[in-house]
Amino acid sequence: MFTYIIRRFLLMIPTFIGITLIFFVILQIVPGGPLEQEIMKIKHAAMLNEGGNSGIGSTDGRESLISEDAMLEMKKFYGMDKPIYVRYLLWLGLWPRTISEKELVVGDNYRQNLAFRKIGYNNFELQNWVKVGKQDGEVKVYESLVGGDFQFEDIPALPQFSDIKDNEWEINNNWEIEKLNNDSVRIFKTEFSGVFTGNLGNSYEYKESVMSLIFSRVHISLYFGIIGFLLSYFISIPLGVIKAVKNGSVFDMGSSIIVFVGYSVPGFAFGAILLMLFGGGSFWDVFPLGGFRSENFADLSFWGQVIDQVHHTILPICAYAIGSFASMTILMKNSLLENLGKDYTRTAYAKGLSERRVIFVHVLKNSLIPLATGIGGLIGLFLSGSYLIEKTFNIDGIGLLGYQALLNRDYPVSLGFLVIGSLVMLIGNLISDCTYALVDPRIRFK
C-alpha cells in the first residue's frame, strides 16, 4: 500500500502539469483575453472623448489608437510580451520573474511600491524611496526605509525625498543594473515566484492576491458543501435500503419517479425553481432571494443569527444535495439488491436468521462499499458544482469567484482555481482508492 501511495503521488506531478498546461494554453490562445478587453475599453473611452490623450490617438479607424509604448506596457502588465512557454514557466515559478524595474538617469529617484496593507475595505500602499548614484565610479542602487501613505502603528509615514538624511540610505545589491546610454540605466529585480512557491499571482479585477481572495471565501463554499454532502448521505442510505427491501412496491415506484426527476434536474435549475416558488416572487415569500447572511446579521442576537443562517441555508442546500441524493439512492438500492441475491445471504436466511438481522448485520456493510469510496470526494466539496448554484443564490463563495473570473477573463484567478481544484481532486481520488482498500479486504494494491 505504501509503495502504491508513493507511486500515485509521483504520478500526480505529470498529471498536474498536463492539466494546467492544456488549460493555460487554451486561455492564452482564445480571443477576447484581458489584453484585448483592455484595448477595447481604451478604444471605447477614446471614441467617447473624441480622441482622448495619454497615448491615445485618432479614432478615425485608420491609425492605431494606442501608442507603441502604451501597448508595450500593457503587454508587460499582462505578461503577453513573452513567448507562451516562458509565460507558463513563469506561472509555475520555474523562470525568473521580473518583480520590479525602472529606467533612470544616475541621480534620479522614485517611490517604489512594495506591498499593500488592507484596512477595512481599503488598500494602503507601503513604499520606500529608490535612487541611483555612484560609489567609487560604480553605479549603485540605494533604498530608504519603508513607510506608508500615513503613519501606521508599526510603520512610520514615508518622508519626503529631501528630508532623508545621507546616513538613512542603504545600498541594495539585489538590484541588477543594465547600462543603457550615457548615464541612463535600467534597474530590475528578479525572483523565482509562481505556483511551486505558493504564489498564484494577483487578480486583474480585484488587485489582490489570488490566495487571499480564495481563502477569504472558502469557508462559505465549505459550509454549503459539507452540509449538502452529509444530508445527501443521511437521506440516500436509508431510502435506498427501504427501496431495495420493498422492491417493486408502490412506494418503490413512486419514490423512483421522484428520484429520477431529481436526477434529471441540474442543481442550479432546481435552485431557480425554488427561488421562484419560495423567494417572494409570484408565489410564497418564505425564504430570502439569496446571499449567505442578512446585512444586519451582526446586530442580531445569538438565536437570531442561528435562525437567519438557517433561513439562508435551506434553499441552497436543497440545490446542492439533489444531484448526489438521486444518484446515491439508486446506487444504494442496486448495491443492496445485488448482495441480497448472493450465496452468503441465502445461507444466512437458510440458517433461520431474521430479515432485519440479515440485512443490517450481513448485507448492509458490503452494500455500502460503493458509497464509501466516494468519501475521498469530500475534500473537493467546496468546488463541486458550486459555480452555478452560488451564482443562482448570489452566494459570495469561491464558486461565484471562479464564475466571475471566467466572465471577466481574470486569468490569475481562473488558473488559481484550476490549481486548487486539480490538487484536491487528485488527492481525493487517492483517498477514495485507499478507502476502497480499507473497507473491502479483497482489494489489494501492488
Side-chain angles (χ1 to χ4, degrees), residues 123-377:
N123 282 321
F124 298 94
E125 292 179 348
L126 300 182
Q127 300 177 322
N128 68 352
W129 286 99
V130 178
K131 72 173 183 179
V132 177
K134 284 190 176 180
Q135 185 185 59
D136 299 330
E138 291 187 12
V139 178
K140 298 288 184 182
V141 180
Y142 299 82
E143 291 190 14
S144 70
L145 295 175
V146 178
D149 293 338
F150 55 87
Q151 184 169 356
F152 296 95
E153 290 183 358
D154 54 341
I155 298 177
L158 186 66
Q160 294 298 318
F161 177 77
S162 57
D163 296 335
I164 303 175
K165 300 176 182 177
D166 290 341
N167 60 359
E168 293 177 339
W169 290 100
E170 289 188 0
I171 296 176
N172 189 336
N173 292 319
N174 293 326
W175 289 93
E176 297 183 52
I177 303 172
E178 177 187 357
K179 292 185 178 179
L180 299 176
N181 52 55
N182 298 328
D183 284 338
S184 296
V185 293
R186 171 177 172 260
I187 60 173
F188 59 97
K189 286 181 185 175
T190 59
E191 69 176 17
F192 289 91
S193 176
V195 173
F196 290 151
T197 62
N199 179 14
L200 298 181
N202 293 323
S203 164
Y204 299 153
E205 194 73 19
Y206 298 93
K207 314 299 182 190
E208 289 185 43
S209 161
V210 174
M211 291 294 285
S212 65
L213 283 172
I214 291 176
F215 281 114
S216 65
R217 291 166 171 78
V218 70
H219 66 285
I220 298 175
S221 298
L222 275 176
Y223 170 78
F224 288 105
I226 290 174
I227 293 178
F229 176 85
L230 295 177
L231 190 65
S232 60
Y233 266 71
F234 286 145
I235 295 177
S236 301
I237 292 175
L239 181 60
V241 172
I242 296 172
K243 283 173 64 62
V245 172
K246 297 184 178 180
N247 185 35
S249 67
V250 175
F251 173 81
D252 180 42
M253 301 292 288
S255 59
S256 292
I257 294 174
I258 298 174
V259 167
F260 281 110
V261 169
Y263 186 72
S264 61
V265 178
F268 71 91
F270 185 61
I273 295 173
L274 292 176
L275 282 177
M276 183 185 67
L277 293 175
F278 302 107
S282 304
F283 298 93
W284 301 280
D285 186 9
V286 182
F287 296 103
L289 277 173
F292 183 50
R293 292 167 178 167
S294 298
E295 292 183 358
N296 63 339
F297 183 82
D299 301 327
L300 299 175
S301 64
F302 172 75
W303 289 112
Q305 291 181 344
V306 171
I307 293 172
D308 182 79
Q309 190 66 74
V310 172
H311 208 210
H312 284 78
T313 300
I314 292 176
L315 294 188
I317 285 300
C318 292
Y320 266 90
I322 186 169
S324 54
F325 150 74
S327 59
M328 283 195 295
T329 300
I330 297 301
L331 186 63
M332 183 68 222
K333 176 193 172 185
N334 293 339
S335 178
L336 191 65
L337 284 175
E338 181 184 355
N339 281 285
L340 284 173
K342 290 187 174 178
D343 291 342
Y344 75 92
T345 306
R346 286 194 290 271
T347 302
Y349 277 119
K351 288 182 176 178
L353 299 179
S354 66
E355 183 179 32
R356 178 184 296 271
R357 184 173 178 79
V358 171
I359 292 175
F360 290 102
V361 176
H362 296 282
V363 179
L364 183 59
K365 179 182 176 183
N366 293 331
S367 303
L368 287 173
I369 291 176
L371 276 71
T373 56
I375 294 295

Side-chain angles (χ1 to χ4, degrees), residues 27 30-37 78 204-205 403-414:
L27 280 184
V30 294
L35 179 61
E36 287 87 351
Q37 288 199 340
Y78 290 109
Y204 299 153
E205 194 73 19
Y403 176 83
Q404 291 173 334
L406 288 175
L407 293 183
N408 298 328
R409 305 294 194 273
D410 196 347
Y411 286 176
V413 175
S414 299

